[in-house]
Short mmCIF file of all heavy atoms in Angstrom, two decimals:
data_model
loop_
_atom_site.label_atom_id
_atom_site.label_comp_id
_atom_site.label_asym_id
_atom_site.label_seq_id
_atom_site.Cartn_x
_atom_site.Cartn_y
_atom_site.Cartn_z
N MET A 19 -4.33 0.51 21.43
CA MET A 19 -5.08 1.16 20.41
C MET A 19 -4.26 1.96 19.47
O MET A 19 -3.50 2.72 19.89
CB MET A 19 -6.26 1.97 21.08
CG MET A 19 -7.45 2.23 20.17
SD MET A 19 -8.86 2.70 21.24
CE MET A 19 -9.83 3.56 20.05
N MET A 20 -4.61 1.83 18.15
CA MET A 20 -3.85 2.61 17.25
C MET A 20 -4.31 4.06 17.12
O MET A 20 -5.34 4.49 17.40
CB MET A 20 -3.97 2.00 15.80
CG MET A 20 -3.47 0.65 15.62
SD MET A 20 -3.84 -0.01 13.95
CE MET A 20 -2.62 0.97 13.12
N PRO A 21 -3.22 5.03 16.98
CA PRO A 21 -3.57 6.44 16.82
C PRO A 21 -4.45 6.57 15.59
O PRO A 21 -4.32 5.82 14.63
CB PRO A 21 -2.21 7.06 16.59
CG PRO A 21 -1.23 6.17 17.16
CD PRO A 21 -1.77 4.77 17.07
N GLU A 22 -5.29 7.60 15.65
CA GLU A 22 -6.25 7.73 14.62
C GLU A 22 -5.65 7.97 13.25
O GLU A 22 -6.20 7.48 12.24
CB GLU A 22 -7.22 9.05 14.94
CG GLU A 22 -8.34 9.20 13.93
CD GLU A 22 -9.34 8.06 13.99
OE1 GLU A 22 -9.56 7.56 15.08
OE2 GLU A 22 -9.96 7.83 12.85
N ARG A 23 -4.61 8.62 13.17
CA ARG A 23 -3.81 8.77 11.86
C ARG A 23 -3.25 7.63 11.25
O ARG A 23 -3.12 7.51 10.01
CB ARG A 23 -2.82 9.74 11.95
CG ARG A 23 -1.64 9.27 12.80
CD ARG A 23 -0.61 10.32 12.97
NE ARG A 23 0.49 9.75 13.78
CZ ARG A 23 1.71 10.19 13.72
NH1 ARG A 23 2.17 11.31 13.09
NH2 ARG A 23 2.61 9.61 14.57
N TRP A 24 -3.24 6.52 12.00
CA TRP A 24 -2.73 5.21 11.49
C TRP A 24 -3.89 4.25 11.07
O TRP A 24 -3.56 3.18 10.57
CB TRP A 24 -1.69 4.49 12.36
CG TRP A 24 -0.47 5.20 12.58
CD1 TRP A 24 0.12 6.19 11.78
CD2 TRP A 24 0.46 5.01 13.68
NE1 TRP A 24 1.19 6.67 12.24
CE2 TRP A 24 1.45 5.92 13.45
CE3 TRP A 24 0.46 4.29 14.82
CZ2 TRP A 24 2.52 5.99 14.38
CZ3 TRP A 24 1.49 4.36 15.69
CH2 TRP A 24 2.50 5.18 15.46
N ARG A 25 -4.97 4.72 11.22
CA ARG A 25 -6.14 3.87 10.82
C ARG A 25 -6.64 4.06 9.52
O ARG A 25 -7.10 5.26 9.13
CB ARG A 25 -7.32 3.90 11.88
CG ARG A 25 -7.15 3.52 13.23
CD ARG A 25 -8.30 3.61 14.01
NE ARG A 25 -7.96 3.36 15.43
CZ ARG A 25 -8.56 3.76 16.44
NH1 ARG A 25 -9.72 4.31 16.27
NH2 ARG A 25 -8.22 3.34 17.72
N PRO A 26 -6.47 3.19 8.51
CA PRO A 26 -6.93 3.38 7.17
C PRO A 26 -8.48 3.37 7.18
O PRO A 26 -8.99 2.75 7.88
CB PRO A 26 -6.33 2.19 6.40
CG PRO A 26 -6.12 1.16 7.48
CD PRO A 26 -5.78 1.82 8.73
N GLU A 27 -8.99 4.14 6.24
CA GLU A 27 -10.46 4.13 6.03
C GLU A 27 -10.85 2.89 5.28
O GLU A 27 -11.96 2.35 5.42
CB GLU A 27 -10.85 5.33 5.09
CG GLU A 27 -10.67 6.61 5.99
CD GLU A 27 -11.03 7.85 5.17
OE1 GLU A 27 -11.48 7.75 3.98
OE2 GLU A 27 -10.91 8.92 5.64
N ARG A 28 -10.02 2.45 4.34
CA ARG A 28 -10.35 1.13 3.48
C ARG A 28 -8.95 0.54 3.35
O ARG A 28 -7.88 1.04 3.33
CB ARG A 28 -10.90 1.47 2.19
CG ARG A 28 -12.24 2.26 2.27
CD ARG A 28 -12.83 2.56 0.97
NE ARG A 28 -11.99 3.62 0.37
CZ ARG A 28 -11.97 4.16 -0.79
NH1 ARG A 28 -13.00 3.71 -1.66
NH2 ARG A 28 -11.18 5.01 -1.30
N VAL A 29 -9.13 -0.80 2.94
CA VAL A 29 -7.91 -1.70 2.65
C VAL A 29 -8.11 -2.23 1.35
O VAL A 29 -9.13 -2.93 1.04
CB VAL A 29 -7.77 -2.74 3.64
CG1 VAL A 29 -6.60 -3.64 3.33
CG2 VAL A 29 -7.54 -2.13 5.12
N PHE A 30 -7.23 -2.12 0.40
CA PHE A 30 -7.28 -2.73 -0.90
C PHE A 30 -6.03 -3.58 -1.01
O PHE A 30 -4.96 -3.35 -0.66
CB PHE A 30 -7.04 -1.65 -2.05
CG PHE A 30 -8.15 -0.62 -2.07
CD1 PHE A 30 -8.26 0.54 -1.46
CD2 PHE A 30 -9.30 -1.01 -2.88
CE1 PHE A 30 -9.31 1.43 -1.49
CE2 PHE A 30 -10.45 -0.18 -3.05
CZ PHE A 30 -10.45 1.03 -2.31
N VAL A 31 -6.31 -4.84 -1.48
CA VAL A 31 -5.34 -5.81 -1.85
C VAL A 31 -5.14 -5.89 -3.32
O VAL A 31 -6.06 -6.28 -3.99
CB VAL A 31 -5.72 -7.20 -1.17
CG1 VAL A 31 -4.72 -8.25 -1.44
CG2 VAL A 31 -5.87 -7.08 0.29
N TYR A 32 -3.93 -5.80 -3.65
CA TYR A 32 -3.61 -5.96 -5.21
C TYR A 32 -3.29 -7.42 -5.34
O TYR A 32 -2.35 -8.05 -4.78
CB TYR A 32 -2.45 -5.16 -5.56
CG TYR A 32 -1.99 -5.23 -7.11
CD1 TYR A 32 -2.88 -4.43 -7.83
CD2 TYR A 32 -0.94 -5.75 -7.53
CE1 TYR A 32 -2.54 -4.45 -9.23
CE2 TYR A 32 -0.67 -5.92 -8.81
CZ TYR A 32 -1.50 -5.00 -9.70
OH TYR A 32 -1.27 -5.07 -11.07
N ARG A 33 -4.19 -8.15 -6.04
CA ARG A 33 -4.17 -9.51 -6.13
C ARG A 33 -3.07 -10.24 -6.95
O ARG A 33 -2.90 -11.35 -6.82
CB ARG A 33 -5.62 -10.05 -6.50
CG ARG A 33 -6.67 -9.64 -5.62
CD ARG A 33 -7.95 -10.15 -5.76
NE ARG A 33 -8.37 -10.32 -7.26
CZ ARG A 33 -9.52 -10.74 -7.55
NH1 ARG A 33 -10.41 -11.22 -6.59
NH2 ARG A 33 -9.86 -10.89 -8.82
N HIS A 34 -2.47 -9.36 -7.77
CA HIS A 34 -1.39 -10.04 -8.63
C HIS A 34 -0.13 -9.91 -8.04
O HIS A 34 0.18 -8.85 -7.19
CB HIS A 34 -1.35 -9.22 -10.03
CG HIS A 34 -2.68 -9.37 -10.71
ND1 HIS A 34 -3.25 -10.53 -11.26
CD2 HIS A 34 -3.59 -8.45 -10.98
CE1 HIS A 34 -4.40 -10.19 -11.82
NE2 HIS A 34 -4.64 -8.89 -11.51
N PRO A 35 0.82 -10.81 -8.20
CA PRO A 35 2.21 -10.64 -7.62
C PRO A 35 2.99 -9.39 -8.21
O PRO A 35 2.82 -8.97 -9.24
CB PRO A 35 2.96 -11.97 -8.07
CG PRO A 35 1.96 -12.92 -8.43
CD PRO A 35 0.75 -12.02 -8.94
N VAL A 36 3.66 -8.78 -7.13
CA VAL A 36 4.40 -7.58 -7.46
C VAL A 36 5.86 -7.81 -7.29
O VAL A 36 6.30 -8.52 -6.37
CB VAL A 36 3.86 -6.42 -6.58
CG1 VAL A 36 4.74 -5.31 -6.73
CG2 VAL A 36 2.43 -6.15 -6.87
N ASP A 37 6.69 -7.25 -8.11
CA ASP A 37 8.15 -7.30 -7.96
C ASP A 37 8.52 -6.51 -6.69
O ASP A 37 8.18 -5.27 -6.66
CB ASP A 37 8.82 -6.72 -9.17
CG ASP A 37 10.34 -6.78 -9.12
OD1 ASP A 37 10.92 -7.15 -8.08
OD2 ASP A 37 10.90 -6.45 -10.20
N MET A 38 9.05 -7.15 -5.73
CA MET A 38 9.30 -6.40 -4.39
C MET A 38 10.30 -5.39 -4.52
O MET A 38 10.65 -4.67 -3.47
CB MET A 38 9.60 -7.39 -3.37
CG MET A 38 8.38 -8.22 -2.84
SD MET A 38 7.30 -7.24 -1.78
CE MET A 38 5.77 -7.54 -2.73
N ARG A 39 11.08 -5.22 -5.68
CA ARG A 39 11.91 -4.21 -5.77
C ARG A 39 11.29 -2.87 -6.01
O ARG A 39 11.94 -1.82 -5.90
CB ARG A 39 12.96 -4.47 -6.93
CG ARG A 39 13.82 -5.76 -6.60
CD ARG A 39 14.58 -6.04 -7.88
NE ARG A 39 13.77 -6.55 -9.00
CZ ARG A 39 14.23 -7.05 -10.09
NH1 ARG A 39 15.56 -7.02 -10.41
NH2 ARG A 39 13.36 -7.50 -11.05
N LYS A 40 9.96 -2.88 -6.32
CA LYS A 40 9.22 -1.67 -6.49
C LYS A 40 9.23 -0.90 -5.18
O LYS A 40 9.01 -1.45 -4.18
CB LYS A 40 7.77 -2.03 -6.99
CG LYS A 40 7.55 -2.37 -8.40
CD LYS A 40 6.19 -2.42 -8.80
CE LYS A 40 5.90 -2.78 -10.16
NZ LYS A 40 6.53 -1.96 -11.17
N GLN A 41 9.37 0.45 -5.31
CA GLN A 41 9.39 1.28 -4.20
C GLN A 41 8.15 2.16 -4.24
O GLN A 41 7.14 1.85 -4.89
CB GLN A 41 10.56 2.18 -4.21
CG GLN A 41 11.92 1.32 -4.00
CD GLN A 41 11.98 0.61 -2.71
OE1 GLN A 41 11.64 1.16 -1.60
NE2 GLN A 41 12.28 -0.62 -2.78
N ILE A 42 8.09 3.19 -3.43
CA ILE A 42 6.79 4.01 -3.33
C ILE A 42 6.24 4.36 -4.67
O ILE A 42 5.10 4.31 -4.83
CB ILE A 42 7.04 5.18 -2.34
CG1 ILE A 42 7.38 4.63 -0.88
CG2 ILE A 42 5.91 6.18 -2.38
CD1 ILE A 42 7.86 5.68 -0.04
N ASP A 43 7.02 5.00 -5.53
CA ASP A 43 6.56 5.57 -6.64
C ASP A 43 5.98 4.50 -7.57
O ASP A 43 4.92 4.72 -8.22
CB ASP A 43 7.78 6.27 -7.55
CG ASP A 43 8.23 7.57 -6.86
OD1 ASP A 43 7.36 8.12 -6.01
OD2 ASP A 43 9.35 7.92 -7.00
N GLY A 44 6.65 3.22 -7.72
CA GLY A 44 6.09 2.27 -8.61
C GLY A 44 4.81 1.64 -8.02
O GLY A 44 3.95 1.42 -8.75
N LEU A 45 4.73 1.42 -6.74
CA LEU A 45 3.60 1.02 -6.10
C LEU A 45 2.37 2.03 -6.10
O LEU A 45 1.25 1.64 -6.47
CB LEU A 45 3.83 0.67 -4.67
CG LEU A 45 4.77 -0.55 -4.45
CD1 LEU A 45 5.04 -0.82 -2.94
CD2 LEU A 45 4.25 -1.79 -5.20
N ALA A 46 2.68 3.31 -5.98
CA ALA A 46 1.65 4.39 -6.07
C ALA A 46 1.15 4.44 -7.64
O ALA A 46 -0.04 4.64 -7.75
CB ALA A 46 2.12 5.74 -5.65
N ALA A 47 2.03 4.17 -8.58
CA ALA A 47 1.55 4.14 -9.94
C ALA A 47 0.61 2.95 -10.17
O ALA A 47 -0.37 3.07 -10.89
CB ALA A 47 2.76 4.02 -10.83
N LEU A 48 1.01 1.72 -9.54
CA LEU A 48 -0.04 0.67 -9.65
C LEU A 48 -1.44 0.95 -9.08
O LEU A 48 -2.33 0.54 -9.64
CB LEU A 48 0.57 -0.53 -8.95
CG LEU A 48 1.72 -1.51 -9.74
CD1 LEU A 48 2.14 -2.57 -8.79
CD2 LEU A 48 1.11 -1.97 -11.01
N VAL A 49 -1.34 1.61 -7.92
CA VAL A 49 -2.67 1.97 -7.32
C VAL A 49 -3.48 2.90 -8.28
O VAL A 49 -4.59 2.65 -8.47
CB VAL A 49 -2.23 2.73 -5.95
CG1 VAL A 49 -3.57 3.30 -5.41
CG2 VAL A 49 -1.73 1.79 -4.99
N ALA A 50 -2.78 3.76 -8.80
CA ALA A 50 -3.53 4.78 -9.73
C ALA A 50 -3.91 4.05 -11.09
O ALA A 50 -5.20 4.26 -11.42
CB ALA A 50 -2.57 5.97 -9.99
N THR A 51 -3.10 3.40 -11.64
CA THR A 51 -3.39 2.84 -12.95
C THR A 51 -4.23 1.54 -12.96
O THR A 51 -5.12 1.38 -13.62
CB THR A 51 -2.16 2.62 -13.79
OG1 THR A 51 -1.35 1.72 -13.16
CG2 THR A 51 -1.28 3.89 -14.07
N GLU A 52 -3.82 0.65 -12.04
CA GLU A 52 -4.49 -0.64 -12.01
C GLU A 52 -5.75 -0.69 -11.18
O GLU A 52 -6.71 -1.40 -11.42
CB GLU A 52 -3.49 -1.83 -11.48
CG GLU A 52 -2.26 -1.94 -12.38
CD GLU A 52 -2.58 -2.55 -13.72
OE1 GLU A 52 -3.44 -3.55 -13.81
OE2 GLU A 52 -2.05 -2.09 -14.79
N LEU A 53 -5.74 0.03 -9.96
CA LEU A 53 -6.89 -0.07 -9.13
C LEU A 53 -7.75 1.27 -9.29
O LEU A 53 -8.93 1.21 -8.79
CB LEU A 53 -6.30 0.02 -7.63
CG LEU A 53 -5.54 -1.27 -7.15
CD1 LEU A 53 -5.13 -1.17 -5.72
CD2 LEU A 53 -6.35 -2.57 -7.33
N GLY A 54 -7.28 2.18 -10.06
CA GLY A 54 -8.14 3.40 -10.33
C GLY A 54 -8.42 4.14 -9.02
O GLY A 54 -9.39 4.86 -8.98
N GLN A 55 -7.45 4.07 -8.05
CA GLN A 55 -7.60 4.83 -6.84
C GLN A 55 -6.54 5.92 -6.66
O GLN A 55 -5.53 5.87 -7.29
CB GLN A 55 -7.56 3.81 -5.65
CG GLN A 55 -8.53 2.74 -5.61
CD GLN A 55 -9.86 3.29 -5.30
OE1 GLN A 55 -10.15 4.17 -4.49
NE2 GLN A 55 -10.81 2.72 -5.92
N ASP A 56 -6.80 6.93 -5.84
CA ASP A 56 -5.82 7.89 -5.45
C ASP A 56 -5.01 7.31 -4.38
O ASP A 56 -5.37 7.01 -3.20
CB ASP A 56 -6.54 9.21 -4.99
CG ASP A 56 -5.68 10.29 -4.46
OD1 ASP A 56 -4.30 10.19 -4.71
OD2 ASP A 56 -6.04 11.17 -3.90
N PRO A 57 -3.70 7.16 -4.59
CA PRO A 57 -2.85 6.52 -3.65
C PRO A 57 -2.68 7.40 -2.43
O PRO A 57 -2.04 6.89 -1.42
CB PRO A 57 -1.46 6.35 -4.27
CG PRO A 57 -1.58 7.21 -5.57
CD PRO A 57 -2.98 7.45 -5.82
N ALA A 58 -2.86 8.67 -2.43
CA ALA A 58 -2.84 9.70 -1.27
C ALA A 58 -4.07 9.70 -0.51
O ALA A 58 -4.18 10.55 0.33
CB ALA A 58 -2.32 10.94 -1.70
N ASP A 59 -5.11 8.79 -0.75
CA ASP A 59 -6.21 8.81 0.10
C ASP A 59 -5.93 8.13 1.51
O ASP A 59 -4.83 7.68 1.66
CB ASP A 59 -7.61 8.25 -0.54
CG ASP A 59 -7.39 6.78 -0.74
OD1 ASP A 59 -6.38 6.13 -0.47
OD2 ASP A 59 -8.31 6.24 -1.60
N ARG A 60 -6.90 7.95 2.24
CA ARG A 60 -6.52 7.44 3.59
C ARG A 60 -6.75 5.77 3.54
O ARG A 60 -7.05 5.31 4.68
CB ARG A 60 -7.58 7.98 4.58
CG ARG A 60 -7.35 9.51 4.88
CD ARG A 60 -6.19 9.91 5.67
NE ARG A 60 -6.20 9.21 6.86
CZ ARG A 60 -5.07 9.13 7.59
NH1 ARG A 60 -3.96 9.61 7.29
NH2 ARG A 60 -5.14 8.52 8.84
N SER A 61 -6.50 5.22 2.40
CA SER A 61 -6.58 3.83 2.38
C SER A 61 -5.23 3.05 2.50
O SER A 61 -4.19 3.76 2.25
CB SER A 61 -7.15 3.41 0.95
OG SER A 61 -8.38 3.96 0.85
N LEU A 62 -5.25 1.85 2.83
CA LEU A 62 -3.98 1.05 2.93
C LEU A 62 -4.03 0.14 1.67
O LEU A 62 -5.07 -0.50 1.34
CB LEU A 62 -4.14 0.23 4.23
CG LEU A 62 -2.93 -0.82 4.46
CD1 LEU A 62 -1.66 -0.08 4.77
CD2 LEU A 62 -3.20 -1.73 5.56
N TYR A 63 -2.98 0.00 1.06
CA TYR A 63 -2.82 -0.73 -0.09
C TYR A 63 -1.77 -1.95 0.24
O TYR A 63 -0.67 -1.68 0.65
CB TYR A 63 -2.30 0.07 -1.23
CG TYR A 63 -3.25 1.13 -1.54
CD1 TYR A 63 -3.16 2.38 -1.20
CD2 TYR A 63 -4.32 0.77 -2.45
CE1 TYR A 63 -4.19 3.39 -1.39
CE2 TYR A 63 -5.38 1.73 -2.67
CZ TYR A 63 -5.28 3.00 -2.22
OH TYR A 63 -6.18 3.98 -2.56
N VAL A 64 -2.16 -3.10 -0.08
CA VAL A 64 -1.40 -4.33 0.23
C VAL A 64 -0.89 -5.04 -1.03
O VAL A 64 -1.79 -5.25 -2.00
CB VAL A 64 -2.18 -5.34 1.11
CG1 VAL A 64 -1.41 -6.56 1.34
CG2 VAL A 64 -2.80 -4.67 2.19
N PHE A 65 0.37 -5.29 -1.12
CA PHE A 65 0.98 -5.94 -2.22
C PHE A 65 1.81 -7.19 -1.76
O PHE A 65 2.36 -7.24 -0.71
CB PHE A 65 2.00 -5.04 -2.89
CG PHE A 65 1.38 -3.62 -3.37
CD1 PHE A 65 1.38 -2.63 -2.57
CD2 PHE A 65 0.82 -3.58 -4.54
CE1 PHE A 65 0.85 -1.34 -2.89
CE2 PHE A 65 0.29 -2.35 -4.99
CZ PHE A 65 0.16 -1.21 -4.17
N ILE A 66 1.70 -8.28 -2.55
CA ILE A 66 2.47 -9.53 -2.28
C ILE A 66 3.37 -9.83 -3.35
O ILE A 66 3.30 -9.45 -4.52
CB ILE A 66 1.47 -10.72 -2.09
CG1 ILE A 66 0.53 -10.81 -3.41
CG2 ILE A 66 0.52 -10.42 -0.84
CD1 ILE A 66 -0.37 -12.03 -3.31
N ASN A 67 4.33 -10.73 -3.13
CA ASN A 67 5.26 -11.15 -4.16
C ASN A 67 4.79 -12.47 -4.67
O ASN A 67 3.71 -13.02 -4.26
CB ASN A 67 6.71 -11.25 -3.51
CG ASN A 67 6.82 -12.38 -2.40
OD1 ASN A 67 5.75 -12.70 -1.89
ND2 ASN A 67 7.93 -12.84 -2.18
N ARG A 68 5.44 -12.97 -5.65
CA ARG A 68 5.06 -14.19 -6.29
C ARG A 68 4.94 -15.43 -5.41
O ARG A 68 3.99 -16.14 -5.57
CB ARG A 68 5.95 -14.48 -7.51
CG ARG A 68 5.61 -15.64 -8.48
CD ARG A 68 6.51 -15.88 -9.61
NE ARG A 68 6.64 -14.55 -10.28
CZ ARG A 68 5.85 -14.30 -11.40
NH1 ARG A 68 4.88 -15.06 -11.74
NH2 ARG A 68 5.95 -13.14 -12.04
N SER A 69 5.81 -15.60 -4.53
CA SER A 69 5.79 -16.73 -3.63
C SER A 69 4.95 -16.53 -2.52
O SER A 69 4.80 -17.48 -1.65
CB SER A 69 7.10 -17.10 -3.32
OG SER A 69 7.88 -16.10 -2.58
N ARG A 70 4.39 -15.41 -2.35
CA ARG A 70 3.42 -15.02 -1.32
C ARG A 70 3.92 -15.32 0.16
O ARG A 70 3.39 -15.56 1.12
CB ARG A 70 2.12 -15.90 -1.39
CG ARG A 70 1.48 -15.65 -2.82
CD ARG A 70 0.05 -16.35 -2.72
NE ARG A 70 -0.46 -16.17 -4.14
CZ ARG A 70 -1.30 -15.14 -4.50
NH1 ARG A 70 -1.40 -14.07 -3.72
NH2 ARG A 70 -1.79 -15.24 -5.66
N ASP A 71 5.31 -14.85 0.23
CA ASP A 71 5.84 -14.99 1.53
C ASP A 71 6.37 -13.46 2.01
O ASP A 71 6.96 -13.42 3.09
CB ASP A 71 6.96 -16.01 1.65
CG ASP A 71 8.20 -15.58 0.64
OD1 ASP A 71 8.03 -14.76 -0.18
OD2 ASP A 71 9.20 -16.34 0.74
N LYS A 72 6.11 -12.52 1.23
CA LYS A 72 6.40 -11.16 1.57
C LYS A 72 5.38 -10.27 1.19
O LYS A 72 4.64 -10.42 0.24
CB LYS A 72 7.70 -10.69 0.87
CG LYS A 72 9.03 -11.47 1.31
CD LYS A 72 10.22 -11.11 0.43
CE LYS A 72 11.35 -11.79 0.91
NZ LYS A 72 11.41 -13.11 0.49
N ILE A 73 5.16 -9.24 2.05
CA ILE A 73 4.14 -8.22 1.75
C ILE A 73 4.80 -6.74 1.88
O ILE A 73 5.68 -6.59 2.55
CB ILE A 73 2.97 -8.30 2.55
CG1 ILE A 73 3.23 -7.99 4.00
CG2 ILE A 73 2.25 -9.64 2.35
CD1 ILE A 73 1.90 -7.90 4.89
N LYS A 74 4.16 -5.89 1.15
CA LYS A 74 4.48 -4.45 1.19
C LYS A 74 3.14 -3.67 1.58
O LYS A 74 2.09 -4.06 0.88
CB LYS A 74 5.09 -3.95 0.13
CG LYS A 74 6.73 -4.12 0.04
CD LYS A 74 7.34 -3.28 -1.00
CE LYS A 74 8.79 -3.60 -0.85
NZ LYS A 74 9.66 -2.83 -1.76
N LEU A 75 3.07 -2.70 2.33
CA LEU A 75 1.92 -1.96 2.67
C LEU A 75 2.19 -0.57 2.42
O LEU A 75 3.19 0.01 2.81
CB LEU A 75 1.48 -2.14 4.17
CG LEU A 75 1.38 -3.52 4.60
CD1 LEU A 75 1.10 -3.51 6.19
CD2 LEU A 75 0.21 -4.24 3.96
N LEU A 76 1.37 0.08 1.51
CA LEU A 76 1.60 1.53 1.15
C LEU A 76 0.42 2.29 1.77
O LEU A 76 -0.76 1.90 1.70
CB LEU A 76 1.45 1.64 -0.24
CG LEU A 76 1.72 3.07 -0.79
CD1 LEU A 76 3.12 3.53 -0.60
CD2 LEU A 76 1.42 3.04 -2.36
N PHE A 77 0.75 3.39 2.48
CA PHE A 77 -0.15 4.10 3.23
C PHE A 77 0.31 5.61 3.23
O PHE A 77 1.40 5.97 3.35
CB PHE A 77 -0.22 3.67 4.72
CG PHE A 77 -1.31 4.31 5.55
CD1 PHE A 77 -2.58 4.10 5.34
CD2 PHE A 77 -0.89 5.26 6.51
CE1 PHE A 77 -3.62 4.84 6.06
CE2 PHE A 77 -1.87 5.75 7.39
CZ PHE A 77 -3.16 5.64 7.17
N TRP A 78 -0.75 6.54 3.00
CA TRP A 78 -0.46 7.92 3.08
C TRP A 78 -0.61 8.52 4.48
O TRP A 78 -1.67 8.19 5.13
CB TRP A 78 -1.34 8.65 2.13
CG TRP A 78 -1.17 10.23 2.20
CD1 TRP A 78 -1.79 11.14 2.93
CD2 TRP A 78 -0.17 11.00 1.50
NE1 TRP A 78 -1.39 12.34 2.74
CE2 TRP A 78 -0.36 12.33 1.75
CE3 TRP A 78 0.75 10.61 0.60
CZ2 TRP A 78 0.44 13.33 1.32
CZ3 TRP A 78 1.54 11.71 -0.06
CH2 TRP A 78 1.43 12.92 0.32
N GLU A 79 0.38 9.03 5.07
CA GLU A 79 0.31 9.55 6.40
C GLU A 79 0.67 10.98 6.59
O GLU A 79 1.75 11.44 6.25
CB GLU A 79 1.24 8.79 7.35
CG GLU A 79 1.23 9.18 8.78
CD GLU A 79 2.10 8.34 9.61
OE1 GLU A 79 1.83 7.28 10.08
OE2 GLU A 79 3.24 8.93 9.85
N ASP A 80 -0.28 11.80 6.95
CA ASP A 80 -0.15 13.29 7.04
C ASP A 80 0.45 13.96 5.86
O ASP A 80 -0.34 14.66 5.22
CB ASP A 80 0.81 13.58 8.28
CG ASP A 80 0.08 13.19 9.64
OD1 ASP A 80 -1.11 13.04 9.71
OD2 ASP A 80 0.94 12.71 10.51
N ASN A 81 1.73 13.88 5.51
CA ASN A 81 2.26 14.69 4.50
C ASN A 81 3.15 13.75 3.55
O ASN A 81 3.99 14.36 2.88
CB ASN A 81 2.98 15.87 5.00
CG ASN A 81 4.21 15.48 5.84
OD1 ASN A 81 4.39 14.26 6.18
ND2 ASN A 81 4.90 16.50 6.23
N GLY A 82 3.06 12.57 3.61
CA GLY A 82 3.88 11.61 2.72
C GLY A 82 3.57 10.09 2.86
O GLY A 82 2.85 9.86 3.81
N PHE A 83 4.04 9.37 1.91
CA PHE A 83 3.84 7.98 1.94
C PHE A 83 4.67 7.22 3.00
O PHE A 83 5.84 7.62 3.34
CB PHE A 83 4.14 7.27 0.69
CG PHE A 83 3.03 7.63 -0.37
CD1 PHE A 83 3.33 8.60 -1.40
CD2 PHE A 83 1.79 7.00 -0.30
CE1 PHE A 83 2.38 8.77 -2.45
CE2 PHE A 83 1.00 7.22 -1.35
CZ PHE A 83 1.21 8.12 -2.32
N VAL A 84 4.10 6.21 3.56
CA VAL A 84 4.86 5.26 4.42
C VAL A 84 4.85 3.84 3.72
O VAL A 84 3.72 3.50 3.20
CB VAL A 84 4.17 5.07 5.81
CG1 VAL A 84 4.86 4.10 6.72
CG2 VAL A 84 4.16 6.53 6.51
N LEU A 85 5.89 3.29 3.64
CA LEU A 85 5.98 1.91 3.03
C LEU A 85 6.45 0.90 3.95
O LEU A 85 7.55 1.08 4.53
CB LEU A 85 6.90 1.93 1.68
CG LEU A 85 7.05 0.69 0.97
CD1 LEU A 85 5.75 0.29 0.32
CD2 LEU A 85 8.11 0.73 -0.09
N TYR A 86 5.71 0.02 4.43
CA TYR A 86 5.94 -1.11 5.35
C TYR A 86 6.35 -2.26 4.70
O TYR A 86 5.68 -2.60 3.55
CB TYR A 86 4.85 -1.44 6.28
CG TYR A 86 4.26 -0.26 7.12
CD1 TYR A 86 3.28 0.49 6.76
CD2 TYR A 86 5.10 0.10 8.20
CE1 TYR A 86 2.93 1.55 7.52
CE2 TYR A 86 4.62 1.11 9.04
CZ TYR A 86 3.49 1.81 8.71
OH TYR A 86 3.14 2.92 9.55
N TYR A 87 7.48 -3.01 4.93
CA TYR A 87 7.83 -4.17 4.30
C TYR A 87 7.89 -5.33 5.17
O TYR A 87 8.46 -5.11 6.36
CB TYR A 87 9.21 -3.97 3.54
CG TYR A 87 9.85 -5.15 2.80
CD1 TYR A 87 9.15 -5.68 1.66
CD2 TYR A 87 11.06 -5.72 3.10
CE1 TYR A 87 9.67 -6.65 1.04
CE2 TYR A 87 11.52 -6.75 2.49
CZ TYR A 87 10.91 -7.32 1.34
OH TYR A 87 11.36 -8.35 0.70
#
């Protein structure tokens, strides 16, 4: 069972391909501008690349972002 702090309240999937060179700041900017969400809420944000064989997950944990690749 996952610890409570790792459980997102909601999951958002960004449906357009993303350049996988984007890091936390670039992905957080996409969340704010394109999705209209606060990237530091308790949601998990999912990003895919053009060939759909890689994903990045952005999540706010306690006091900072976590980026899973």
